[in-house]
Amino acid sequence: MGAVIPRLVRAEWTKLLTTRVWIGLLLGSCLMVGAFATLFTAFAGNTDSGIAPVGTSDYEQLALAVSANATILFIVLGIIGTTQEYRHRTATPTFLASPHRGRVIIAKLVAYALAAVPMALLVIAVDVLVVSVYAGAKGDAPSLSGDNLRVLGGAWAALVIYTVIGVGVGALLRNQVGAIVGVLVYLFVVEGIISSIPATQGAYKWLPGGALESMTATFSGTDLLEPWQGGLLLLAYGLVAAVLGTLLAVRRDVV
Amino acid sequence: MRLDGAVTGPAGGAEEDEISSARTLARDPVRVDVSSLTKNFGSVRAVDDLSFTVEPGQVTGFLGPNGAGKTTTLRMALGLITPDRGTATFNGTPYASLPEPMRQVGAVLETAFHPARSGLNHLRVYCRATGLPVSRAAEVLDQVGLGPAGKRKAGGYSLGMRQRLGLATALLGDPAVLVLDEPANGLDPEGIQWLRGFLRHLAHDQGRTVLVSSHLLSEVEQTADRVVIVGAGKLVRQGSLAELRAGSAGSVLVRSPQSAALVELLRSTGTTVSATDGTPDGVTVTGMPIEEVGRRAFAGGIELHELRTHTSGLEEVYFRLTAGSEQYAAGRPDTTTVTGQGAS
């Protein structure tokens, strides 16, 4: 049934575009990234802030990597993509249209990954625009080449992959509020603790936060994977969650 | 083949004649076979070895009190709930194995919509998922009389409008089988009238298989050709409404001060005579026409105070058949033990 998946992918896009969730999250991401880029540039070269001055590669990579902060909103996009079916009970018509529930999850993974591609590009464009204009005004706009481009590519890939993780986590947990709160607590609290305790520090690079850092890191202060390894690891987290979700949660009775 | 019926909305009038003008018998008839379906939820046996069939070209009422297992049965038939045992098939194929399920079976279950999505967009989602042209969304919306509200958010719909949107979703694929779970909930009297005509049209004129559940006999009595009655997850009775009525063959009620003598006169084979509850001088006669009872009394010179037929209505038959099988029985109004409310 090769033709079924593209149909379901288009159905997911229709679902995505017929509510305003994506607009809110995209605008939120752009605002957040624009604000970070502005702040980092404003304090560039300020000795108290510790941010390198405009024109240095340290500053440029730092300012161009702020897009990665929007991963938190992109993972929420993915989570809502799956959990809305349960929250609004549309799982019933969705699984009536496609009784093979695994196909629905595959379609969601594909649909959200592809939808995240242009959304992530826009977020990065905002970052580049703000940094170019503001840093340019302060004397030296960064060039979009070499390591700078690698940082942008890493942030872009991270945004797309985090959306995929969101779909997988949503499939596993099914409860929208629970999944979002759980992910926030994990990323901001649990990983912070793990990375700061010496005994568990070694594991950090294998965790989603560490893998994300490897994709966008500008200093190699901590022990991290190579960017491509980090990307693959993150993707694996997303797919494992989706497979487990399909096997353990999505197959359950829809009553 | 589309459902190009003349039905456009709930507007009253002579629906029946208009509806039957569009005669289309273009699809293969599909028979639904439910066989030994069983499902336990924890220690509760929701559906217990339930078997019945649903024939094409007819409206079949699926009746039972709240909590009798109707919804669970329908959801098992549609692959949403995995049965512990048993199967449900559409011309021999389980729902999940149908190549294009929404084009063969349309289902109206609970009203499930994203509140922020418009009715039209809701339908477009399932057009895409089923590979139907998106123009089909507007068609079915008009068909259920919801066209003007199509662009409004479904969250703002009334219960009746939601039921119509659910029906429109089921009709998208122009299916040969329609399964509807309590579709009359929330419809106003006009809407119910319209729904009845619409379902009859789909079954009688278009040859579709229509299975419609309800906890109220009166809701399906005027629509259904056959009924399947369940109680406590078990099959209580299946058959045509006529058969069900015959099972409740009317009786004759006679009241006479000489009731003992009357009983003697009425004795004959195939007739039962019994004392009537609540009236000391009354007897109930079954198996004898009222004219014959009157004739015999007159011939025997017996004084009568009352002579009338007593047809225990379908409602009473239904009530008797399902008595005691409610999952949650409320206490009597004059007692204080109210144990709960039913849910299906």
Side-chain angles (χ1 to χ4, degrees), chain A residues 148-166:
Chain A
N148 286 355
L149 209 55
R150 185 191 66 73
V151 166
L152 287 176
W156 171 79
L159 289 170
V160 173
I161 294 171
Y162 260 65
T163 312
V164 171
I165 295 178

Side-chain angles (χ1 to χ4, degrees), chain B residues 151-172:
Chain B
K151 295 205 167 132
R152 280 166 49 193
K153 288 179 177 178
Y157 285 4
S158 69
L159 195 51
M161 290 164 85
R162 288 164 195 237
Q163 288 288 14
R164 284 167 193 265
L165 184 53
L167 184 59
T169 314
L171 293 172
L172 271 181

Side-chain angles (χ1 to χ4, degrees), chain A residues 99-115:
Chain A
H100 296 270
R101 301 184 190 179
R103 285 182 192 158
V104 173
I105 299 302
I106 291 170
K108 281 186 187 291
L109 291 169
V110 174
Y112 277 82
L114 292 178

Side-chain angles (χ1 to χ4, degrees), chain B residues 73-302:
Chain B
T73 303
L74 297 182
R75 285 186 169 264
M76 283 194 282
L78 296 166
L80 294 168
I81 293 180
T82 311
D84 293 337
R85 203 155 48 77
T87 55
T89 58
F90 300 84
N91 275 356
T93 310
Y95 186 85
S97 305
L98 292 171
E100 295 286 354
M102 271 186 80
R103 296 196 202 187
Q104 297 181 59
V105 183
V108 184
L109 298 173
E110 72 203 322
T111 54
F113 318 112
H114 193 298
R117 191 174 289 136
S118 74
L120 196 57
N121 281 331
H122 169 82
L123 293 169
R124 284 178 178 151
V125 166
Y126 298 103
C127 285
R128 296 251 192 250
T130 319
L132 294 161
V134 268
S135 59
R136 185 80 185 121
E139 281 175 35
V140 291
L141 215 49
D142 284 336
Q143 214 176 347
V144 299
L146 212 54
K151 295 205 167 132
R152 280 166 49 193
K153 288 179 177 178
Y157 285 4
S158 69
L159 195 51
M161 290 164 85
R162 288 164 195 237
Q163 288 288 14
R164 284 167 193 265
L165 184 53
L167 184 59
T169 314
L171 293 172
L172 271 181
D174 193 21
V177 181
L178 270 168
V179 176
L180 306 97
D181 193 14
E182 304 268 359
N185 276 357
L187 287 183
D188 51 25
E190 218 175 35
I192 290 175
Q193 189 73 25
W194 165 79
L195 182 69
R196 284 174 181 157
F198 192 57
L199 295 182
R200 276 196 298 261
H201 168 62
L202 294 173
H204 299 165
D205 303 333
Q206 302 191 327
R208 295 173 209 262
T209 314
V210 178
L211 178 63
V212 49
S213 86
S214 178
H215 59 282
L216 294 172
L217 175 84
S218 55
E219 258 175 31
V220 301
E221 196 177 347
Q222 295 172 48
T223 320
D225 307 290
R226 282 181 82 250
V227 285
V228 173
I229 300 177
V230 289
K234 290 193 175 78
L235 181 71
V236 173
R237 181 78 75 89
Q238 68 171 323
S240 69
L241 270 183
E243 282 166 19
L244 195 65
R245 283 203 182 90
S248 71
S251 51
V252 178
L253 212 103
V254 206
R255 217 149 57 74
S256 164
Q258 300 151 272
S259 56
L262 182 68
V263 168
E264 284 307 309
L265 275 175
L266 295 175
R267 269 192 211 291
S268 65
T269 49
T271 306
T272 55
V273 183
S274 56
T276 304
D277 293 337
T279 33
D281 58 349
V283 292
T284 302
V285 187
T286 52
M288 184 183 282
I290 188 165
E291 297 84 357
E292 179 66 12
V293 175
R295 201 188 56 75
R296 288 192 184 195
F298 181 70
I302 287 176

Side-chain angles (χ1 to χ4, degrees), chain A residues 155-222:
Chain A
W156 171 79
L159 289 170
V160 173
I161 294 171
Y162 260 65
T163 312
V164 171
I165 295 178
V167 172
V169 169
L172 190 57
L173 298 181
R174 303 208 302 181
N175 181 306
Q176 190 165 100
V177 176
I180 292 174
V181 170
V183 160
L184 292 179
V185 167
Y186 174 79
L187 289 177
F188 287 118
V189 180
V190 178
E191 284 215 339
I193 293 172
I194 291 174
S195 65
S196 61
I197 297 176
T200 53
Q201 240 162 16
Y204 176 66
K205 67 175 178 178
W206 301 105
L207 298 176
L212 174 65
E213 207 178 324
S214 79
M215 295 179 76
T216 53
T218 50
F219 323 95
S220 34
T222 37

Side-chain angles (χ1 to χ4, degrees), chain A residues 1 4 7-8 10-12 14-16 18-21 84-85 88-101 251-255, chain B residues 39 41 75 78-82 95-96 99-103 107 109-110 112-117 121-122 124-126 128-131 153 169:
Chain A
M1 298 299 285
V4 172
R7 267 169 27 185
L8 296 176
R10 295 185 73 195
E12 290 303 326
T14 306
K15 284 180 202 172
L16 178 66
T18 51
T19 66
R20 292 192 188 154
V21 168
Q84 64 175 353
E85 302 277 3
H88 301 297
R89 307 185 65 81
T90 49
T92 295
T94 295
F95 293 149
L96 284 175
S98 171
H100 296 270
R101 301 184 190 179
R251 274 195 187 170
R252 272 186 230 150
D253 291 343
V254 181
V255 291
Chain B
K39 180 73 180 181
F41 290 120
R75 285 186 169 264
L78 296 166
L80 294 168
I81 293 180
T82 311
Y95 186 85
E100 295 286 354
M102 271 186 80
R103 296 196 202 187
L109 298 173
E110 72 203 322
F113 318 112
H114 193 298
R117 191 174 289 136
N121 281 331
H122 169 82
R124 284 178 178 151
V125 166
Y126 298 103
R128 296 251 192 250
T130 319
K153 288 179 177 178
T169 314

